[in-house]
Amino acid sequence: MGQDQTLFSDSQLVQIKLGEKHGLTAEEIELFAQPHFDEEQMERIRWGLEQGFPIKQIKLYANPSFEADQMKIILWAIESKFSEIEISSIANADLEADEMFVIYEEISRKR
């Protein structure tokens, strides 16, 4: 990890160490090892990477504009193999998590 560890809280450092322990590459760790992400946001990004989802998809929610609950719903859409257009309709930082969930549910029902 090339980051200055003093920039991170202990719980953020735990997420970085878990990423290293689980074999993520330096590039993958760099995606979430950012001080502007809290530990829950870091966990959501780390988990998606550990599941092997493409970095392009992870980058749809690896954005500090999204709270951890919003990231979780976007991750569900990725796990459910939603299309890029469907995921993009959910991955909107202007939506609250409950609004994102409604859209997620509507898309799920149509599938």
Side-chain angles (χ1 to χ4, degrees):
M1 181 181 76
Q3 296 278 353
D4 179 357
Q5 291 191 8
T6 61
L7 298 175
F8 298 99
S9 69
D10 289 345
S11 55
Q12 288 172 311
L13 288 171
V14 166
Q15 291 302 317
I16 294 166
K17 288 177 180 156
L18 283 170
E20 292 168 346
K21 179 181 175 184
H22 296 152
L24 295 180
T25 66
E27 177 190 5
E28 291 170 327
I29 291 171
E30 188 71 23
L31 191 59
F32 67 88
Q34 303 293 328
H36 54 257
F37 289 125
D38 68 28
E39 67 273 8
E40 288 183 79
Q41 292 169 311
M42 291 172 77
E43 180 182 24
R44 301 276 192 262
I45 298 165
R46 178 184 57 78
W47 194 87
L49 291 164
E50 288 174 2
Q51 299 310 304
F53 298 124
I55 286 192
K56 180 181 177 188
Q57 288 186 319
I58 302 298
K59 286 182 177 179
L60 292 172
Y61 72 91
N63 179 333
S65 299
F66 291 119
E67 295 175 3
D69 287 345
Q70 293 170 306
M71 289 180 170
K72 178 173 54 176
I73 296 164
I74 298 165
L75 190 52
W76 288 345
I78 293 169
E79 288 176 304
S80 299
K81 299 184 179 2
F82 282 19
S83 72
E84 203 170 311
I85 292 169
E86 291 169 329
I87 293 169
S88 294
S89 71
I90 294 169
N92 179 342
D94 292 332
L95 298 174
E96 297 292 326
D98 58 342
E99 295 171 306
M100 294 168 81
F101 182 72
V102 168
I103 295 168
Y104 171 84
E105 287 284 295
E106 287 172 0
I107 294 170
S108 294
R109 274 195 296 277
K110 292 177 184 176
R111 297 178 124 240

